[in-house]
């Protein structure tokens, strides 16, 4: 079973019961609210959406009040917006506050080689101070980063892999994990689906994402094209250890 299929199966029953109360599609993140209570986020691949008119999404206001399964079904789509909405919907169902936060950076020791798939600027310097080496792989080249196809080679020779949870949206997560020989494979970012059941029998070892603590503030900021830095004060960092 692919990881996106596992997300669907894990969230499906709740998705049949809960209703869609709001959707916000921003330039940075997509947000789904269910039953005016549960809220989940996913990365918006804004630059990669293939649309031929100003109407990017046809569902419009018709989707409000429908069962969450209507959005969750989009997880099988190759359309990145359908997929983002589905992941945000699943995260609204599955991402819950945890009692304690485990700082995955404490896993890094001075002899470790680290590969980062996705550019996480706030933690780069901290990793460089802790690790033997850090290589960054990014689809949109930035500074010292390597192109995305380098992941197939670099992941074979690292101790720790930090993998952007945006790979859940474009469905590259399975191949990235399969290529990794790392001792620790950490899925990181607000898009992360925080369910160890989903990642059972995969190489993922840590799920490091967020839970939403002020959904109204989050919805407003998403509509204002906010990114991680601006929404962070209204979310709580979470880290779940995966069962082997």
């Amino acid at each position: 079973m692919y990881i996106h299929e596992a997300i669907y199966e894990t969230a499906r029953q709740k998705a049949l019961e809960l209703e869609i109360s709001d959707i916000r599609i921003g330039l940075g993140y997509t947000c789904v609210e269910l039953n005016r209570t549960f809220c989940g986020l996913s990365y918006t691949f804004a630059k990669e959406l293939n649309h031929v008119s100003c109407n990017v999404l046809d569902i419009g206001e018709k989707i409000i009040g429908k069962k969450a399964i209507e959005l969750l079904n989009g997880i099988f789509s190759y359309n990145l917006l359908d997929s983002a909405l589905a992941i945000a919907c699943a995260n609204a169902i599955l991402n819950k506050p945890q009692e304690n936060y485990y700082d995955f950076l404490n896993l890094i020791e001075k002899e470790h080689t680290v590969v980062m798939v996705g550019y996480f600027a706030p933690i780069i310097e901290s990793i460089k101070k802790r690790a033997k080496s850090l290589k960054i792989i990014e689809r949109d080249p930035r500074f010292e980063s390597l192109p995305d196809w380098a992941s197939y080679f670099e992941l074979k020779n690292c101790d720790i892999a930090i993998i952007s949870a945006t790979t859940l949206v474009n469905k590259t997560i399975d191949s990235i994990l399969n290529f990794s020989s790392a001792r620790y494979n950490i899925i990181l970012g607000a898009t992360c689906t925080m369910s160890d059941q989903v990642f059972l029998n995969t190489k993922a070892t840590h799920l490091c994402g967020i839970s939403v603590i002020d959904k109204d503030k989050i919805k407003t900021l998403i509509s204002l094209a906010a990114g991680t830095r601006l929404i962070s004060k209204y979310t709580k960092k979470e880290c779940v250890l995966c069962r082997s």
Side-chain angles (χ1 to χ4, degrees):
M1 183 182 292
Y2 291 108
I3 288 170
H4 68 279
E5 294 173 330
I7 293 173
Y8 178 84
E9 290 300 327
T10 306
R12 184 174 65 87
Q13 189 55 51
K14 282 291 186 183
L16 289 167
E17 302 167 2
L18 297 171
E19 291 185 355
I20 303 158
S21 51
D22 203 354
I23 291 173
R24 305 291 174 96
I25 301 171
L27 297 178
Y29 285 103
T30 290
C31 172
V32 170
E33 181 193 71
L34 304 176
N35 279 35
R36 302 192 181 280
T37 303
F38 310 106
C39 187
L41 303 182
S42 179
Y43 179 72
T44 304
F45 280 90
K47 293 189 291 186
E48 299 181 43
L49 298 181
N50 183 21
H51 54 92
V52 294
S53 73
C54 61
N55 214 30
V56 181
L57 191 66
D58 289 328
I59 57 175
E61 63 184 7
K62 297 179 292 183
I63 197 68
I64 305 300
K66 296 289 183 68
K67 294 297 184 183
I69 195 70
E70 299 277 345
L71 289 182
L72 190 64
N73 286 333
I75 208 163
F76 300 105
S77 174
Y78 296 119
N79 180 289
L80 288 172
L81 187 51
D82 290 341
S83 185
L85 285 165
I87 295 294
C89 179
N91 291 348
I93 294 169
L94 299 173
N95 290 17
K96 307 300 180 187
Q98 307 294 313
E99 290 186 7
N100 299 300
Y101 175 66
Y102 180 82
D103 188 351
F104 68 91
L105 291 175
N106 290 332
L107 295 169
I108 302 172
E109 299 180 0
K110 60 183 179 181
E111 71 272 15
H112 284 158
T113 57
V114 179
V115 170
M116 180 186 288
V117 181
Y119 199 93
F120 292 97
I123 61 173
I124 288 174
E125 289 307 314
S126 179
I127 293 174
K128 286 181 176 178
K129 290 176 182 177
R130 295 168 183 251
K132 177 181 178 181
S133 67
L134 169 66
K135 291 186 178 179
I136 304 168
I137 296 165
E138 170 61 44
R139 177 171 293 184
D140 297 320
R142 298 194 211 177
F143 306 110
E144 73 271 42
S145 65
L146 302 171
D148 57 355
W149 58 85
S151 61
Y152 302 117
F153 309 100
E154 299 299 335
L155 287 168
K156 288 290 186 185
N157 299 291
C158 69
D159 300 296
I160 296 176
I162 299 170
I163 302 165
S164 172
T166 61
T167 56
L168 298 175
V169 179
N170 63 18
K171 301 176 180 63
T172 58
I173 182 65
D174 296 272
S175 60
I176 288 171
L177 283 175
N178 287 339
F179 274 101
S180 178
S181 297
R183 178 181 178 186
Y184 301 116
N185 291 291
I186 300 156
I187 316 300
L188 178 63
T191 306
C192 188
T193 301
M194 305 289 291
S195 168
D196 60 348
Q197 183 178 341
V198 165
F199 293 89
L200 199 63
N201 301 318
T202 75
K203 292 182 180 179
T205 60
H206 297 74
L207 309 175
C208 297
I210 57 103
S211 60
V212 173
I213 57 176
D214 189 332
K215 64 181 180 62
D216 293 325
K217 289 283 189 183
I218 289 291
K219 290 194 297 179
T220 298
L221 286 169
I222 296 298
S223 298
L224 294 171
T228 305
R229 181 176 60 83
L230 291 177
I231 69 172
S232 62
K233 66 172 106 175
Y234 304 109
T235 64
K236 178 176 175 286
K237 289 181 179 180
E238 309 284 5
C239 190
V240 172
L241 302 181
C242 293
R243 294 171 290 173
S244 59

